[in-house]
Amino acid sequence: MVAQSGPIGEALGAAGAAAGPSRDAREGLALAGLAVGGAEADAAGEAKASAANGPKGQAPGGLDGPLAAEGAAFEGPIIEAVDVDFYYGAFHALKGVSLAVKAHEVTALIGPSGCGKSTFLKLLNRMNDFVPGARLSGEIKVAGRSIYGPDSDPVSIRRLVGMVFQRPNPFPKSIYDNICYGPRLTGARKKADLDVLVEKALRAAALWDDVKDKLAKSALELSGGQQQRVCIARALALSPEILLMDEPTSALDPIATAKVEEWIKGANLSIVIVTHNMQQAARVSDHTAFFYMGELVEFGPTMEIFTRPRELRTENYITGRFG
Amino acid sequence: MTMGTFVQELAALRESLVSMGDIVLKMVRLAGEALLAGDVEKAREVIKSDADVNARENQIVDRAIRLIATNQPVAGDLRFLAASLRLATELERIGDLGANLARRTLGLAELASEGAVLGQTPPDLARMVHEAMVMLDLALQAFNERDAVKAEAVLGMDDVIDDFNRHIRRLILGLVYDNGRLASWGLEIINTSVHLERLGDHATNLAEEVIYVAKGQNVRHNY
């Protein structure tokens, strides 16, 4: 078992969070599959250095990169958390969480605010690394490899594990450049390659038909639902094996929500989604995990969680009787 | 609808089902008494009350559908609401069977008034009435008390009533074979026995719903 004591940032030998980018900026960088947290220069530098060397030997950019193939070949749980405890300073945010996520399934994390579900989600691509006072023990494996081990590389982890956030946050750039942002930073340069990659990513995010004639327009001119699908396409452009989604439709109207949910159901990807919308969890996920006060109370097939949960706390939460 | 209102509505729906259960239990009890005593007035009273049971079924189904549509229930709430739709239908059919039993009493009385040849009521018919009442009463108790153990006890009782039905059928067919003038009477008795056997089936169905609500296990069609 790998255990980190003391701030994770220190353990990773990274720059302190004080000089780090804003939360939104960190999210944006993470969306592009890159390093987040410490000084922007460090993040960009780390990304460029990794790109130059080819992170873990990958080809830069593209939806069909070797990492995806490597992840797909892995037969165990795509994500495996073993006895994970996590602290924000003195606050014990996650308590002995063990959870195995199957590949190519949608896993929903539910629970009341402050229960630890978003903390757990962010641990899966090391977004909590630079939170001051943060401390982790236990082990988290992605595709069979420990992501907090001494040899782990945050950049390649974030390329393997993409993220989409609550509010659509496209960069103030064209639709085309939004999609190319990550691949360019990881070394993709040829226009023809990028054209192919943009189309594939936008098609995968069910957005191509909406935007194919206006790729040069600013992504900020799109509707909220389209912006969120740009963000999904931007994450997909790096061929993630896993996509983390933190309340991805809470800022969207029902029509846009339906489109994103349809995409989630149809995506042949391992997806972990945090949602406060019980019906959404029931609609889109294969497995559901219920967190409460830092504990994983119950984890099982979504159909069972929503028809006959084993734990009274789960029943009380999903039926709205909590507290 | 707020959660508090939803919880109150669920409780009200449960009360409606309990109340409907009380009514059909009383119908079946009166129908059994009327049958065994040849009490035509009591039988007519039972038939009259059937319209009320039908109306209650519609009200309960409408209410359950409204709660499902407006609250997207899950877990125990969903199981209860899904079961409510079936429970209301089961109770309505039990009411129908109570009314049908009462109609057999009227039919037998009419045959008697016409001077038709009548046989002796088989003693097993009274025992069937008793068994059906016990099953129905226990199934409704199980629902009222959310008691899966009582419901499981009901499931094991249906064989007894089925055996009575087969026995009465054989007995009556033998009598009619020997004496064709008993045919009309025999038909009424066989139909009565079939109504009672069906009551046992519906009591079993009620019990299966109680188990589904309590434990989330679908045991339908296993008995």
Side-chain angles (χ1 to χ4, degrees):
Chain A
M1 178 186 296
V2 174
Q4 282 81 32
S5 58
I8 293 170
E10 289 174 22
L12 293 169
S22 68
R23 179 180 172 177
D24 282 355
R26 288 203 309 273
E27 291 178 350
L29 289 167
L31 270 168
L34 303 176
V36 293
E40 289 182 51
D42 285 355
E46 191 176 6
K48 283 173 184 170
S50 298
N53 297 329
K56 299 280 183 195
Q58 303 157 52
L63 284 168
D64 305 311
L67 250 186
E70 184 183 340
F74 181 73
E75 290 182 356
I78 191 72
I79 297 169
E80 188 173 16
V82 181
D83 206 16
V84 169
D85 283 80
F86 186 76
Y87 299 82
Y88 293 111
F91 178 65
H92 198 171
L94 289 173
K95 300 169 185 170
V97 173
S98 294
L99 178 67
V101 172
K102 286 186 181 174
H104 304 293
E105 284 200 352
V106 180
T107 301
L109 310 183
I110 61 170
S113 296
C115 68
K117 58 189 185 299
S118 289
T119 295
F120 182 76
L121 189 81
K122 288 174 182 173
L123 284 176
L124 301 180
N125 74 347
R126 296 186 50 165
M127 280 197 65
N128 290 323
D129 278 11
F130 299 97
V131 176
R135 187 158 50 91
L136 171 80
S137 70
E139 183 171 44
I140 298 176
K141 289 181 183 175
V142 169
R145 291 187 303 208
S146 175
I147 61 170
Y148 287 92
D151 300 330
S152 63
D153 170 15
V155 175
S156 63
I157 290 164
R158 290 181 194 128
R159 190 169 161 180
L160 188 66
V161 186
M163 191 142 188
V164 173
F165 293 87
Q166 184 173 3
R167 280 179 293 116
N169 54 358
F171 300 138
K173 294 173 176 292
S174 70
I175 297 165
Y176 186 96
D177 286 342
N178 262 274
I179 310 304
C180 292
Y181 190 86
R184 279 177 176 149
L185 283 179
T186 58
R189 288 288 181 272
K190 286 185 184 170
K191 171 99 172 46
D193 291 347
L194 289 172
D195 287 350
V196 170
L197 191 147
V198 166
E199 180 174 344
K200 286 181 84 171
L202 287 169
R203 282 190 186 282
L207 190 61
W208 174 251
D209 289 340
D210 292 7
V211 302
K212 63 186 175 188
D213 298 325
K214 47 186 175 184
L215 294 175
K217 280 198 169 184
S218 169
L220 297 176
E221 291 177 24
L222 298 174
S223 70
Q226 288 173 326
Q227 287 187 20
Q228 191 66 310
R229 279 180 286 154
V230 164
C231 296
I232 290 169
R234 190 173 57 187
L236 295 181
L238 284 160
S239 303
E241 186 62 29
I242 299 163
L243 193 62
L244 310 178
M245 306 184 92
D246 195 356
E247 300 186 53
T249 62
S250 63
L252 304 184
D253 67 33
I255 294 170
T257 295
K259 287 187 175 174
V260 172
E261 286 185 1
E262 278 168 24
W263 176 81
I264 291 170
K265 285 297 284 182
N268 184 27
L269 199 61
S270 307
I271 293 174
V272 183
I273 178 171
V274 164
T275 179
H276 279 291
N277 182 333
M278 294 300 100
Q279 278 68 49
Q280 180 170 74
R283 280 193 297 268
V284 305
S285 70
D286 301 295
H287 280 77
T288 297
F290 170 57
F291 285 77
Y292 182 60
M293 294 180 74
E295 288 179 41
L296 174 61
V297 174
E298 186 166 354
F299 178 57
T302 296
M303 190 55 70
E304 287 190 17
I305 294 282
F306 283 93
T307 56
R308 48 177 184 177
R310 296 188 306 274
E311 298 290 332
L312 182 61
R313 283 182 291 176
T314 313
E315 171 111 17
N316 285 342
Y317 180 70
I318 65 175
T319 59
R321 288 174 177 76
F322 219 71
Chain B
M1 189 179 291
T2 64
M3 177 47 59
T5 309
F6 178 56
V7 170
Q8 286 171 6
E9 288 276 343
L10 288 177
L13 181 64
R14 174 172 279 281
E15 280 305 308
S16 297
L17 283 162
V18 169
S19 174
M20 188 175 174
D22 288 344
I23 289 168
V24 299
L25 184 66
K26 185 180 171 192
M27 279 179 74
V28 172
R29 180 179 294 123
L30 287 176
E33 288 170 6
L35 175 75
L36 299 176
D39 187 334
V40 173
E41 285 312 309
K42 204 174 260 184
R44 289 197 177 111
E45 193 185 325
V46 171
I47 293 168
K48 270 187 205 165
S49 58
D50 194 32
D52 176 41
V53 170
N54 294 344
R56 284 172 185 265
E57 183 201 10
N58 287 341
Q59 288 166 4
I60 287 170
V61 167
D62 288 348
R63 201 169 192 169
I65 286 174
R66 182 169 53 81
L67 289 174
I68 290 168
T70 55
N71 292 277
Q72 294 88 42
V74 293
D77 296 341
L78 175 61
R79 298 201 304 272
F80 170 66
L81 285 168
S84 294
L85 298 171
R86 295 193 288 258
L87 285 165
T89 301
E90 292 296 333
L91 291 171
E92 189 274 333
R93 287 180 184 167
I94 289 168
D96 283 347
L97 287 169
N100 286 345
L101 274 180
R103 289 189 184 96
R104 299 290 76 75
T105 300
L106 297 184
L108 288 166
E110 195 175 327
L111 287 175
S113 69
E114 289 169 355
V117 177
L118 304 182
Q120 190 178 2
T121 304
D124 281 350
L125 205 61
R127 293 170 68 185
M128 273 187 94
V129 169
H130 175 74
E131 288 295 328
M133 280 301 304
V134 168
M135 283 182 75
L136 188 53
D137 190 28
L138 192 58
L140 291 170
Q141 275 183 44
F143 174 71
N144 297 352
E145 298 164 16
R146 300 170 169 85
D147 189 337
V149 175
K150 275 187 178 165
E152 280 161 359
V154 174
L155 302 183
M157 297 168 72
D158 197 34
D159 288 347
V160 177
I161 214 163
D162 289 348
D163 288 344
F164 276 133
N165 181 43
R166 278 190 287 271
H167 177 69
I168 287 173
R169 190 182 187 85
R170 276 198 303 271
L171 177 75
I172 299 299
L173 287 177
L175 290 172
V176 170
Y177 184 78
D178 291 340
N179 182 357
R181 290 184 300 166
L182 288 171
S184 296
W185 169 83
L187 199 58
E188 291 289 357
I189 296 296
I190 285 176
N191 281 338
T192 302
S193 176
V194 169
H195 295 332
L196 291 166
E197 186 272 334
R198 292 296 298 147
L199 273 175
D201 289 344
H202 287 294
T204 300
N205 294 346
L206 289 179
E208 288 169 349
E209 294 304 327
V210 172
I211 291 167
Y212 174 69
V213 174
K215 299 165 78 172
Q217 291 175 355
N218 186 351
V219 296
R220 285 187 294 161
H221 310 305
N222 291 350
Y223 292 88

